Amino acid sequence: MSLNKEHTKITELHIQERTRFALRPVAKLVKATMFAGVAGSLAFSAHAQEAPAQNVAAEDDGIEIISVTGSRRTIQNQIAIKREATTVVDGLSADDIGDLPALSIGEALESITGAASHRENGGATEITIRGLGPFLSATHINGREATNGSGDRSVNFSQFPSELVKKIAIYKTQDASMIEGGVAGVIALETVQPLDFGKQRIQGEVKVNYNPDESNVENSLQSDVGFRGTFSYVDQFEFDNGQAVGVSFGVQRQDISQPEAEYRSSSPTGSSLWACLNDPTNTNEGFYRSSAGDCEDQVAGEKLTNQGYQTAIDPDTGKAQSDGTPYAWTGSSRSFRQNETSDERDAIFMAVQYQPSDVLDINLDAQISDRTQAEARHDLLFLQKRATPGITGPSLVTNQAGGILHWEGEERIESAGEQFSREENYRGYGLNVDYQATDNLNLNFDVSYSQTKREELQISNRGRTVDRPFFSWDMGEHIPHFTLTDFDVTDISNYTDSLRTRLDRENARENEVIGARVDFEYTLGGDVFTSIQGGVRTSELTFVQYGGNQGNGSRTEYTLDESVTPALDVLQSCQIDFPESGFLSSVSDGDILTHVDSDGNVVASGTGSSWATYDNVCFSQALAASNGGAFAYPELEYENAGTIDVTEKTTSVYLMANYDTEMFGKYIRGNFGVRVVDTDVTSLGFRNTFEVVTNEDGSLTLVPGESLEQIEGGGGYTEVLPSFNLVVDYSEDILLRGGIYRGMSRPDPANLGYSRTFQTDEESAPTSLGDLFVGVNGSGNPNTQPLMSWNYDAAFEWYPNEDAIFAFGVYYKQFQGGFQQQTVLEDFIVGGQTVTLPITNSVTTDEESDLFGIETSITYRWDSGIGIKLGYNYADTDMEYEDSLYGDTYVTDLDGNTTQLTAGIVSPASVPGFSKHVLSSQLYYQIGDFDTAIIYKYRSEYFQPYTSNSTRLRYVDAVGVWEARASYKVNEHVRVKLEAINLFSQPKSQDYFTEGNLGEVNDYGPRLFAGVSFKF
């Protein structure tokens, strides 16, 4: 179903009476068929010829048609999409497949006002709308839900080639006919419908990829020059009996590198990164401890470990146990990572459209994408938690956030490595039947299937020093710089201790959505209401994440048996030259490593930006062989305590009225309606079997068994989602727009799992099950309710001409719900009896929070051929997310009483993905056959959760990225293109727990593409 049919009903009368807008005569000509992706579609005609060249006029039925191409045409289409829609929407449309002006769908979406991306491997991946994270958005392909392999509801847009997508749009308000799920907005992608496309087209494109940072890498996985090839074919066949068939086919092969150099700190998982006490008066723990050891462990007394700053509430004071004590953030390690990378993708998009009569239209489409990302990683790790008495504490320098700026001490150093690969496969299929039952009644039937499978394989190796060399480091402008005393990091013989390899198969996920819907539209003859729409939709989402001996995967581990193979023999036989020259040079203040002797003199060997490295596969194979084991990745298991198996069944119905009339001399149009959504969740898990044993004294004991049993939990909800949209043509070039709707965002499937284990009290000699079982431990809550919101939009839009727009809008969202730990009762069957037990888990609360925002779009073109396009979004919100380790946390008991558990030392974050400021800008120049543009995109800092349940805070720093593109049309068939992203090598910087505690810096470098396209 096209975007037009689904969301932008424009009557022929409406088109006829608004001929002042340059694109509307075309819409009049083709009689309410699709144009510019939303305004209508081209009328079918077999083997239609191309429109005349740019700025050439033609006459057809007395109507002058001006054909515009390139950047100018794309922007005109954007303006048309926005103007004709009845909702608040922005989009991109291409006249031909492959003409979307971007290297990926993510980059294309970033050009839309209010949209911003999260960057991974240097490219755009997840998209946020109006500063709201991906979990608050929904993505549809041809009007259907899209799956993903992340365990959440976001979509990795780098999975889809922009060359095979014809239209994209972001709906910022909704109407009742739209699939529920997008509080922030709905991202809609549409592929070509061959009969509506209306012309034969054979086209192809070949691009070569060159990344300057890759030229410095001896990449074992990819060559210096990458390849991206696309071919597509569209045709129509008309028969004498009036029937018509259209076919479209597109294929793309991508084989490129994704260079990335990294500085890394330990992750904020709760077991690797600590707030250690930095109190000179405390010699029992922290950086001033009296004996060498980990700063989060105690020297004497209870000798508590893994604690650091204690946020738990002291009942005597009502404050944190460590309240007022200074602290500093330190992880298990700080490291540098050099990467050899490869990114391969094969994609096929196809469609068949059949019109057996003028009242029946049948569309069958498919999207297939297989992507494999691989990395050979080489790490130099400096272990960091250990405090050296008399050195580490007195020399420590920190900033106000507790981030370390200078550190000194004695600790082990590791040469480590990882061999990583991720395979992700997407399959999307759909069948749509559109039937004009009567002159007034249209019926539409749609069935769809979407599936994503993902699996990750990883080898992790380690060789470390026998002793603990002395080193120090200082924070530079972007990353730390290390100084090592009498230690050469380039000498492979320094890493002969504790050789270990791990082979992991993890994050194996399958996400499927099967959907079906029936819609009707009944045309009315009234002067106000033009039609009534309604329908029913049912879908079933399944999400499975396979477990293993590591929870979300399986691991095989070997340590070197030196009685079989000496460590130095393994290292030397597998050693490779450091693969990269100029490593991290664009973010470092000179050498990242300096080797000095005991007198402080610089030693050349070991000074620079490299270290001793080895081939990861060779290393792992050698360690497996020394143990007589097989070098093989372990298998995963479905019947495993770590498995998540969620089924979400949804049924929704809607009814909506469309209106288009004149009132007080103004044309008004829009719709209002209601959507009712019912959802049931079933979650399966596994736990050990057990037996309740009666002892001689009559007391009960729980004895675990050796097998597993399946357990089941569930939940559900029913929500009513009203909506109202209004468009007022205030004058010939001024439009007023408003919208109100109630939206919902569902919890991520990975958080709907069901893992439960019993807590027992056997010390009091229980004689009943009620006394034996005292509670339940577990994770996942299949009864998590959706996050609801009321959403209000108002906008002013001025259209001086077909190349210009000034739009200003305000919006307000009131969220009803947050996330908090709460104790609830659950029923369990034990020995044939029902036992009701309390469990504390994450739930959606009734808290309210607000978000206010403004957005503006400005587009203008001068007669010289120079044009500008600006989009800016500002938002502010009081929604808060607390870190579960170092934030304020609370628990609500069964009686509804809320108790504070911890008093945190880090401020709460905002909505995941929330940026206050998002800017997209473009300066383009197009004259004749030459077309060029430079693009700047800015996004202020935002909270990107480190864990799937958003309970570990991670901040991505503000970033501005430049892109550029240029093309020249050689003739009517051939065009040459140049494109670049991240033109000035802007890195990505991340902070852990709190802003100011540097966690990771990723340096990607620019990405350059040059190509030639042809079309016939």
Side-chain angles (χ1 to χ4, degrees), residues 141 145-148 159-160 346-349 365-371 423-430 448-453 511-513:
I141 299 179
E145 283 185 276
T147 53
N148 79 92
Q159 186 78 6
F160 304 109
D346 295 300
I348 299 174
F349 284 21
D365 61 86
Q367 304 86 42
I368 299 171
S369 177
D370 295 326
R371 187 183 187 195
E423 182 175 352
E424 187 160 338
N425 311 109
Y426 177 85
R427 303 289 185 268
Y429 308 105
S448 61
Y449 174 79
S450 177
Q451 179 198 68
T452 299
K453 291 184 177 181
N511 182 203
E512 292 183 349
V513 175

Side-chain angles (χ1 to χ4, degrees), residues 716-934:
Y717 46 87
T718 301
E719 300 291 348
V720 178
L721 309 176
S723 62
F724 172 78
N725 291 283
L726 169 69
V727 180
V728 179
D729 279 318
Y730 184 78
S731 66
E732 291 188 353
D733 53 4
I734 293 178
L735 183 149
L736 305 178
R737 190 186 302 274
I740 303 173
Y741 71 96
R742 189 170 188 245
M744 61 180 287
S745 284
R746 306 176 189 273
D748 292 336
N751 295 333
L752 299 176
Y754 190 67
S755 174
R756 301 290 187 266
T757 56
F758 292 120
Q759 294 175 305
T760 60
D761 179 10
E762 299 178 5
E763 295 182 359
S764 60
T767 57
S768 67
L769 292 180
D771 294 331
L772 174 64
F773 296 107
V774 296
V776 180
N777 290 324
S779 61
N781 181 7
N783 196 35
T784 304
Q785 300 298 293
L787 186 68
M788 306 301 299
S789 71
W790 278 100
N791 307 266
Y792 307 87
D793 275 75
F796 167 88
E797 298 167 10
W798 178 35
Y799 299 87
N801 56 60
E802 67 268 30
D803 292 301
I805 179 178
F806 173 80
F808 178 83
V810 296
Y811 57 91
Y812 169 71
K813 296 177 182 290
Q814 184 180 65
F815 295 97
Q816 297 159 315
F819 298 100
Q820 181 179 304
Q821 295 295 107
Q822 182 173 319
T823 301
V824 297
L825 294 176
E826 291 186 0
D827 292 334
F828 301 90
I829 305 297
V830 181
Q833 300 182 43
T834 299
V835 181
T836 302
L837 298 171
I839 180 172
T840 302
N841 217 328
S842 178
V843 300
T844 307
T845 69
D846 295 329
E847 295 179 1
E848 292 188 355
S849 54
D850 302 301
L851 181 143
F852 169 80
I854 61 174
E855 67 178 13
T856 184
S857 299
I858 301 173
T859 300
Y860 190 78
R861 179 184 182 273
W862 288 269
D863 293 339
S864 63
I866 296 176
I868 61 168
K869 178 179 176 292
L870 299 172
Y872 171 71
N873 185 88
Y874 168 83
D876 194 16
T877 180
D878 59 0
M879 179 175 281
E880 295 183 346
Y881 273 75
E882 294 281 359
D883 185 86
S884 60
L885 289 177
Y886 291 106
D888 294 339
T889 61
Y890 303 82
V891 65
T892 301
D893 62 21
L894 295 174
D895 297 325
N897 301 312
T898 299
T899 303
Q900 184 171 2
L901 299 178
T902 63
I905 54 176
V906 300
S907 299
S910 186
V911 183
F914 176 79
S915 292
K916 276 194 172 183
H917 306 278
V918 173
L919 170 71
S920 63
S921 60
Q922 176 179 329
L923 176 67
Y924 72 93
Y925 174 72
Q926 182 182 2
I927 287 292
D929 297 322
F930 180 67
D931 189 358
T932 186
I934 187 165

